[in-house]
């Protein structure tokens, strides 16, 4: 843990993140518990039955908070926090969006890659693993990266798909070739929670191999994750509609996998979607 703090201090100019600014969040827990236990102030805005609780601070501040989730995951140096909860009823936290303060301009691409995978390692230790969208093919991480770069037919099948695999550690060359915005998805089977990590990269025009990076983390409860597949009044019926939707998405996945097999790619048939806990109750 000490090494981790030193690593962060190296990137953030020696800043120390005060424990007084720590925010404890339990996905699926009461938003009031999070707010009452936190020493930082949150704004509140409600729209269409959903309340947004927000906090933001200049990325250059010396006392940026850390956010701790159940299971031991801690995100340090957070410049923006947003909690989503229902306006009525149990008011449970169903989504948590975090943005880390960006590293200074001119940070090494290699150092950013190392940092990213140190975060992934800590998530993996806490039970998080790769997630593949229901309609997307089960392609191995390295093979997907190489194929996406080299084969137009494969690119057409995989386009608009966050196919990057957090379990596969990219080489420096692969990391440097990432587009301006990239996404990785993970899930925690035991908790029924989901995560989307987004990395935005801005290349330095003056220095080769240097970039400015912004890291965002969006955590979802099972309900919030699957409601994204529906619109309007269907969101309220998500559990009723989910089995049919899953079958439809899997049919699309199989079509893509057959097409990729014909192009010589291997499919990771060992990958199984996490079970939807709400359907088992």
């Amino acid at each position: 843990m000490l090494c981790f703090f030193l690593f962060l201090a190296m990137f953030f100019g020696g800043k120390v993140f005060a424990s007084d600014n720590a925010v404890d969040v339990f996905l699926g827990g009461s938003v009031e518990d999070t707010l009452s236990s936190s020493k930082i102030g949150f704004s509140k805005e409600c729209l269409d039955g959903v309340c947004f609780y927000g906090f933001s601070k200049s990325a250059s501040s010396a006392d940026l908070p850390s956010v701790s989730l159940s299971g031991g995951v801690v995100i340090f140096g957070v410049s923006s926090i947003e909690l989503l909860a229902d306006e009525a009823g149990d008011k449970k936290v169903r989504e948590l969006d975090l943005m880390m303060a960006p590293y200074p301009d001119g940070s090494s691409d290699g150092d950013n890659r190392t940092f990213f995978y140190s975060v992934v390692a800590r998530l993996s230790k806490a039970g998080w693993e790769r997630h593949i969208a229901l309609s997307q093919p089960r392609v191995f991480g390295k093979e997907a990266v190489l194929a996406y770069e080299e084969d137009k037919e494969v690119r057409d099948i995989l386009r608009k798909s966050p196919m990057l695999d957090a379990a596969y550690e990219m080489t420096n060359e692969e990391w440097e070739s990432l587009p301006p915005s990239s996404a990785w998805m993970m899930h925690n089977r035991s908790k029924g929670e989901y995560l989307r990590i987004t990395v935005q990269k801005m290349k330095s025009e003056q220095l080769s191999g240097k970039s400015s990076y912004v890291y965002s983390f969006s955590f979802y409860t099972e309900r919030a994750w699957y409601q994204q597949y529906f619109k309007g009044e269907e969101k309220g019926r998500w559990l009723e509609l989910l089995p049919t939707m899953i079958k439809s998405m899997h049919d699309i996945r199989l079509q893509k996998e057959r097409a990729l097999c014909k192009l010589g790619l291997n499919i990771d048939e060992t990958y199984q979607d996490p079970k939807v806990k709400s359907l088992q109750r």
Side-chain angles (χ1 to χ4, degrees), residues 22-47:
V23 179
D24 295 319
V25 181
F26 289 87
L27 273 180
S30 167
V31 69
E32 297 299 337
D33 289 345
T34 294
L35 298 177
S36 62
S37 64
S38 171
K39 293 186 179 181
I40 66 174
F42 284 84
S43 62
K44 178 182 178 181
E45 183 177 346
C46 298
L47 180 68

PDB file of all heavy atoms in Angstrom, residues 22-47:
ATOM      1  N   ALA A  22     -12.132  11.243   2.699  1.00  0.00           N
ATOM      2  CA  ALA A  22     -12.522   9.937   2.176  1.00  0.00           C
ATOM      3  C   ALA A  22     -14.045   9.821   2.143  1.00  0.00           C
ATOM      4  O   ALA A  22     -14.745  10.268   3.051  1.00  0.00           O
ATOM      5  CB  ALA A  22     -11.930   8.827   3.040  1.00  0.00           C
ATOM      6  N   VAL A  23     -14.548   9.237   1.055  1.00  0.00           N
ATOM      7  CA  VAL A  23     -15.986   9.024   0.893  1.00  0.00           C
ATOM      8  C   VAL A  23     -16.240   7.522   0.784  1.00  0.00           C
ATOM      9  O   VAL A  23     -15.653   6.854  -0.067  1.00  0.00           O
ATOM     10  CB  VAL A  23     -16.513   9.735  -0.375  1.00  0.00           C
ATOM     11  CG1 VAL A  23     -18.012   9.495  -0.544  1.00  0.00           C
ATOM     12  CG2 VAL A  23     -16.215  11.229  -0.319  1.00  0.00           C
ATOM     13  N   ASP A  24     -17.079   6.990   1.645  1.00  0.00           N
ATOM     14  CA  ASP A  24     -17.425   5.571   1.618  1.00  0.00           C
ATOM     15  C   ASP A  24     -18.767   5.400   0.912  1.00  0.00           C
ATOM     16  O   ASP A  24     -19.763   6.006   1.315  1.00  0.00           O
ATOM     17  CB  ASP A  24     -17.525   5.005   3.028  1.00  0.00           C
ATOM     18  CG  ASP A  24     -16.185   5.027   3.750  1.00  0.00           C
ATOM     19  OD1 ASP A  24     -15.170   4.723   3.101  1.00  0.00           O
ATOM     20  OD2 ASP A  24     -16.154   5.359   4.952  1.00  0.00           O
ATOM     21  N   VAL A  25     -18.769   4.587  -0.140  1.00  0.00           N
ATOM     22  CA  VAL A  25     -19.989   4.376  -0.921  1.00  0.00           C
ATOM     23  C   VAL A  25     -20.298   2.884  -0.979  1.00  0.00           C
ATOM     24  O   VAL A  25     -19.419   2.066  -1.245  1.00  0.00           O
ATOM     25  CB  VAL A  25     -19.838   4.909  -2.369  1.00  0.00           C
ATOM     26  CG1 VAL A  25     -21.138   4.692  -3.142  1.00  0.00           C
ATOM     27  CG2 VAL A  25     -19.476   6.385  -2.357  1.00  0.00           C
ATOM     28  N   PHE A  26     -21.566   2.563  -0.725  1.00  0.00           N
ATOM     29  CA  PHE A  26     -22.024   1.187  -0.872  1.00  0.00           C
ATOM     30  C   PHE A  26     -23.044   1.162  -1.999  1.00  0.00           C
ATOM     31  O   PHE A  26     -24.159   1.675  -1.854  1.00  0.00           O
ATOM     32  CB  PHE A  26     -22.651   0.676   0.426  1.00  0.00           C
ATOM     33  CG  PHE A  26     -21.655   0.438   1.525  1.00  0.00           C
ATOM     34  CD1 PHE A  26     -21.277   1.474   2.373  1.00  0.00           C
ATOM     35  CD2 PHE A  26     -21.064  -0.806   1.701  1.00  0.00           C
ATOM     36  CE1 PHE A  26     -20.346   1.271   3.377  1.00  0.00           C
ATOM     37  CE2 PHE A  26     -20.134  -1.015   2.701  1.00  0.00           C
ATOM     38  CZ  PHE A  26     -19.769   0.017   3.545  1.00  0.00           C
ATOM     39  N   LEU A  27     -22.643   0.584  -3.142  1.00  0.00           N
ATOM     40  CA  LEU A  27     -23.597   0.437  -4.239  1.00  0.00           C
ATOM     41  C   LEU A  27     -24.767  -0.403  -3.747  1.00  0.00           C
ATOM     42  O   LEU A  27     -24.583  -1.462  -3.145  1.00  0.00           O
ATOM     43  CB  LEU A  27     -22.941  -0.266  -5.429  1.00  0.00           C
ATOM     44  CG  LEU A  27     -22.191   0.584  -6.437  1.00  0.00           C
ATOM     45  CD1 LEU A  27     -21.607  -0.298  -7.530  1.00  0.00           C
ATOM     46  CD2 LEU A  27     -23.087   1.649  -7.047  1.00  0.00           C
ATOM     47  N   GLY A  28     -25.976   0.077  -4.003  1.00  0.00           N
ATOM     48  CA  GLY A  28     -27.156  -0.631  -3.525  1.00  0.00           C
ATOM     49  C   GLY A  28     -27.518  -0.290  -2.097  1.00  0.00           C
ATOM     50  O   GLY A  28     -28.541  -0.755  -1.577  1.00  0.00           O
ATOM     51  N   GLY A  29     -26.682   0.531  -1.441  1.00  0.00           N
ATOM     52  CA  GLY A  29     -26.968   0.971  -0.084  1.00  0.00           C
ATOM     53  C   GLY A  29     -27.629   2.335  -0.080  1.00  0.00           C
ATOM     54  O   GLY A  29     -27.756   2.996  -1.111  1.00  0.00           O
ATOM     55  N   SER A  30     -28.025   2.775   1.080  1.00  0.00           N
ATOM     56  CA  SER A  30     -28.728   4.049   1.211  1.00  0.00           C
ATOM     57  C   SER A  30     -27.827   5.223   0.854  1.00  0.00           C
ATOM     58  O   SER A  30     -26.702   5.327   1.349  1.00  0.00           O
ATOM     59  CB  SER A  30     -29.240   4.219   2.650  1.00  0.00           C
ATOM     60  OG  SER A  30     -29.657   5.541   2.886  1.00  0.00           O
ATOM     61  N   VAL A  31     -28.327   6.113  -0.007  1.00  0.00           N
ATOM     62  CA  VAL A  31     -27.549   7.298  -0.361  1.00  0.00           C
ATOM     63  C   VAL A  31     -27.401   8.199   0.860  1.00  0.00           C
ATOM     64  O   VAL A  31     -26.398   8.906   1.002  1.00  0.00           O
ATOM     65  CB  VAL A  31     -28.201   8.053  -1.544  1.00  0.00           C
ATOM     66  CG1 VAL A  31     -29.514   8.709  -1.124  1.00  0.00           C
ATOM     67  CG2 VAL A  31     -27.244   9.108  -2.104  1.00  0.00           C
ATOM     68  N   GLU A  32     -28.380   8.168   1.763  1.00  0.00           N
ATOM     69  CA  GLU A  32     -28.308   8.997   2.967  1.00  0.00           C
ATOM     70  C   GLU A  32     -27.141   8.572   3.843  1.00  0.00           C
ATOM     71  O   GLU A  32     -26.501   9.407   4.480  1.00  0.00           O
ATOM     72  CB  GLU A  32     -29.629   8.909   3.745  1.00  0.00           C
ATOM     73  CG  GLU A  32     -30.840   9.447   2.997  1.00  0.00           C
ATOM     74  CD  GLU A  32     -30.719  10.931   2.654  1.00  0.00           C
ATOM     75  OE1 GLU A  32     -29.941  11.637   3.341  1.00  0.00           O
ATOM     76  OE2 GLU A  32     -31.386  11.383   1.711  1.00  0.00           O
ATOM     77  N   ASP A  33     -26.854   7.271   3.891  1.00  0.00           N
ATOM     78  CA  ASP A  33     -25.719   6.796   4.686  1.00  0.00           C
ATOM     79  C   ASP A  33     -24.410   7.356   4.128  1.00  0.00           C
ATOM     80  O   ASP A  33     -23.527   7.755   4.884  1.00  0.00           O
ATOM     81  CB  ASP A  33     -25.675   5.266   4.677  1.00  0.00           C
ATOM     82  CG  ASP A  33     -26.799   4.648   5.494  1.00  0.00           C
ATOM     83  OD1 ASP A  33     -27.424   5.369   6.285  1.00  0.00           O
ATOM     84  OD2 ASP A  33     -27.048   3.439   5.328  1.00  0.00           O
ATOM     85  N   THR A  34     -24.287   7.370   2.796  1.00  0.00           N
ATOM     86  CA  THR A  34     -23.080   7.918   2.169  1.00  0.00           C
ATOM     87  C   THR A  34     -22.948   9.405   2.468  1.00  0.00           C
ATOM     88  O   THR A  34     -21.872   9.894   2.831  1.00  0.00           O
ATOM     89  CB  THR A  34     -23.105   7.692   0.649  1.00  0.00           C
ATOM     90  OG1 THR A  34     -23.027   6.292   0.377  1.00  0.00           O
ATOM     91  CG2 THR A  34     -21.942   8.395  -0.033  1.00  0.00           C
ATOM     92  N   LEU A  35     -24.030  10.136   2.313  1.00  0.00           N
ATOM     93  CA  LEU A  35     -23.989  11.585   2.512  1.00  0.00           C
ATOM     94  C   LEU A  35     -23.692  11.948   3.961  1.00  0.00           C
ATOM     95  O   LEU A  35     -22.913  12.867   4.240  1.00  0.00           O
ATOM     96  CB  LEU A  35     -25.317  12.203   2.079  1.00  0.00           C
ATOM     97  CG  LEU A  35     -25.711  12.035   0.604  1.00  0.00           C
ATOM     98  CD1 LEU A  35     -27.089  12.633   0.357  1.00  0.00           C
ATOM     99  CD2 LEU A  35     -24.679  12.678  -0.311  1.00  0.00           C
ATOM    100  N   SER A  36     -24.313  11.233   4.898  1.00  0.00           N
ATOM    101  CA  SER A  36     -24.159  11.578   6.314  1.00  0.00           C
ATOM    102  C   SER A  36     -22.772  11.228   6.850  1.00  0.00           C
ATOM    103  O   SER A  36     -22.292  11.858   7.799  1.00  0.00           O
ATOM    104  CB  SER A  36     -25.232  10.866   7.148  1.00  0.00           C
ATOM    105  OG  SER A  36     -25.088   9.457   7.050  1.00  0.00           O
ATOM    106  N   SER A  37     -22.123  10.233   6.253  1.00  0.00           N
ATOM    107  CA  SER A  37     -20.801   9.823   6.734  1.00  0.00           C
ATOM    108  C   SER A  37     -19.666  10.595   6.068  1.00  0.00           C
ATOM    109  O   SER A  37     -18.509  10.480   6.477  1.00  0.00           O
ATOM    110  CB  SER A  37     -20.598   8.318   6.498  1.00  0.00           C
ATOM    111  OG  SER A  37     -20.593   8.029   5.104  1.00  0.00           O
ATOM    112  N   SER A  38     -19.997  11.381   5.044  1.00  0.00           N
ATOM    113  CA  SER A  38     -18.967  12.105   4.307  1.00  0.00           C
ATOM    114  C   SER A  38     -18.781  13.514   4.859  1.00  0.00           C
ATOM    115  O   SER A  38     -19.744  14.180   5.254  1.00  0.00           O
ATOM    116  CB  SER A  38     -19.355  12.183   2.819  1.00  0.00           C
ATOM    117  OG  SER A  38     -18.476  13.047   2.125  1.00  0.00           O
ATOM    118  N   LYS A  39     -17.531  13.962   4.864  1.00  0.00           N
ATOM    119  CA  LYS A  39     -17.234  15.318   5.325  1.00  0.00           C
ATOM    120  C   LYS A  39     -17.192  16.321   4.183  1.00  0.00           C
ATOM    121  O   LYS A  39     -16.935  17.502   4.412  1.00  0.00           O
ATOM    122  CB  LYS A  39     -15.912  15.327   6.087  1.00  0.00           C
ATOM    123  CG  LYS A  39     -15.977  14.553   7.394  1.00  0.00           C
ATOM    124  CD  LYS A  39     -14.689  14.692   8.195  1.00  0.00           C
ATOM    125  CE  LYS A  39     -14.787  13.941   9.509  1.00  0.00           C
ATOM    126  NZ  LYS A  39     -13.557  14.083  10.327  1.00  0.00           N
ATOM    127  N   ILE A  40     -17.396  15.874   2.952  1.00  0.00           N
ATOM    128  CA  ILE A  40     -17.457  16.804   1.835  1.00  0.00           C
ATOM    129  C   ILE A  40     -18.929  17.055   1.491  1.00  0.00           C
ATOM    130  O   ILE A  40     -19.799  16.225   1.761  1.00  0.00           O
ATOM    131  CB  ILE A  40     -16.699  16.274   0.598  1.00  0.00           C
ATOM    132  CG1 ILE A  40     -17.377  15.026   0.025  1.00  0.00           C
ATOM    133  CG2 ILE A  40     -15.251  15.981   0.942  1.00  0.00           C
ATOM    134  CD1 ILE A  40     -16.756  14.562  -1.278  1.00  0.00           C
ATOM    135  N   GLY A  41     -19.210  18.194   0.895  1.00  0.00           N
ATOM    136  CA  GLY A  41     -20.580  18.559   0.581  1.00  0.00           C
ATOM    137  C   GLY A  41     -20.978  18.139  -0.821  1.00  0.00           C
ATOM    138  O   GLY A  41     -20.187  18.265  -1.766  1.00  0.00           O
ATOM    139  N   PHE A  42     -22.210  17.650  -0.964  1.00  0.00           N
ATOM    140  CA  PHE A  42     -22.739  17.240  -2.252  1.00  0.00           C
ATOM    141  C   PHE A  42     -23.894  18.149  -2.659  1.00  0.00           C
ATOM    142  O   PHE A  42     -24.737  18.500  -1.835  1.00  0.00           O
ATOM    143  CB  PHE A  42     -23.253  15.794  -2.192  1.00  0.00           C
ATOM    144  CG  PHE A  42     -22.183  14.742  -2.200  1.00  0.00           C
ATOM    145  CD1 PHE A  42     -21.549  14.372  -1.017  1.00  0.00           C
ATOM    146  CD2 PHE A  42     -21.805  14.126  -3.382  1.00  0.00           C
ATOM    147  CE1 PHE A  42     -20.564  13.397  -1.013  1.00  0.00           C
ATOM    148  CE2 PHE A  42     -20.822  13.149  -3.393  1.00  0.00           C
ATOM    149  CZ  PHE A  42     -20.200  12.786  -2.210  1.00  0.00           C
ATOM    150  N   SER A  43     -23.933  18.509  -3.931  1.00  0.00           N
ATOM    151  CA  SER A  43     -25.102  19.200  -4.468  1.00  0.00           C
ATOM    152  C   SER A  43     -26.180  18.154  -4.769  1.00  0.00           C
ATOM    153  O   SER A  43     -25.887  16.949  -4.832  1.00  0.00           O
ATOM    154  CB  SER A  43     -24.747  19.956  -5.748  1.00  0.00           C
ATOM    155  OG  SER A  43     -24.312  19.051  -6.748  1.00  0.00           O
ATOM    156  N   LYS A  44     -27.413  18.588  -4.958  1.00  0.00           N
ATOM    157  CA  LYS A  44     -28.501  17.657  -5.242  1.00  0.00           C
ATOM    158  C   LYS A  44     -29.421  18.238  -6.301  1.00  0.00           C
ATOM    159  O   LYS A  44     -29.806  19.399  -6.241  1.00  0.00           O
ATOM    160  CB  LYS A  44     -29.309  17.361  -3.969  1.00  0.00           C
ATOM    161  CG  LYS A  44     -30.492  16.426  -4.189  1.00  0.00           C
ATOM    162  CD  LYS A  44     -31.275  16.214  -2.889  1.00  0.00           C
ATOM    163  CE  LYS A  44     -32.499  15.326  -3.104  1.00  0.00           C
ATOM    164  NZ  LYS A  44     -33.275  15.131  -1.845  1.00  0.00           N
ATOM    165  N   GLU A  45     -29.747  17.415  -7.287  1.00  0.00           N
ATOM    166  CA  GLU A  45     -30.681  17.810  -8.330  1.00  0.00           C
ATOM    167  C   GLU A  45     -31.498  16.590  -8.728  1.00  0.00           C
ATOM    168  O   GLU A  45     -30.944  15.513  -8.976  1.00  0.00           O
ATOM    169  CB  GLU A  45     -29.937  18.350  -9.552  1.00  0.00           C
ATOM    170  CG  GLU A  45     -30.854  18.843 -10.669  1.00  0.00           C
ATOM    171  CD  GLU A  45     -30.081  19.424 -11.831  1.00  0.00           C
ATOM    172  OE1 GLU A  45     -28.869  19.688 -11.674  1.00  0.00           O
ATOM    173  OE2 GLU A  45     -30.692  19.606 -12.903  1.00  0.00           O
ATOM    174  N   CYS A  46     -32.819  16.742  -8.775  1.00  0.00           N
ATOM    175  CA  CYS A  46     -33.699  15.617  -9.094  1.00  0.00           C
ATOM    176  C   CYS A  46     -34.439  15.874 -10.404  1.00  0.00           C
ATOM    177  O   CYS A  46     -34.862  17.002 -10.690  1.00  0.00           O
ATOM    178  CB  CYS A  46     -34.711  15.373  -7.970  1.00  0.00           C
ATOM    179  SG  CYS A  46     -33.943  14.942  -6.378  1.00  0.00           S
ATOM    180  N   LEU A  47     -34.575  14.825 -11.207  1.00  0.00           N
ATOM    181  CA  LEU A  47     -35.230  14.929 -12.507  1.00  0.00           C
ATOM    182  C   LEU A  47     -35.845  13.588 -12.856  1.00  0.00           C
ATOM    183  O   LEU A  47     -35.162  12.552 -12.833  1.00  0.00           O
ATOM    184  CB  LEU A  47     -34.214  15.347 -13.578  1.00  0.00           C
ATOM    185  CG  LEU A  47     -34.734  15.504 -15.012  1.00  0.00           C
ATOM    186  CD1 LEU A  47     -35.682  16.700 -15.095  1.00  0.00           C
ATOM    187  CD2 LEU A  47     -33.561  15.692 -15.980  1.00  0.00           C
TER     188      LEU A  47
END
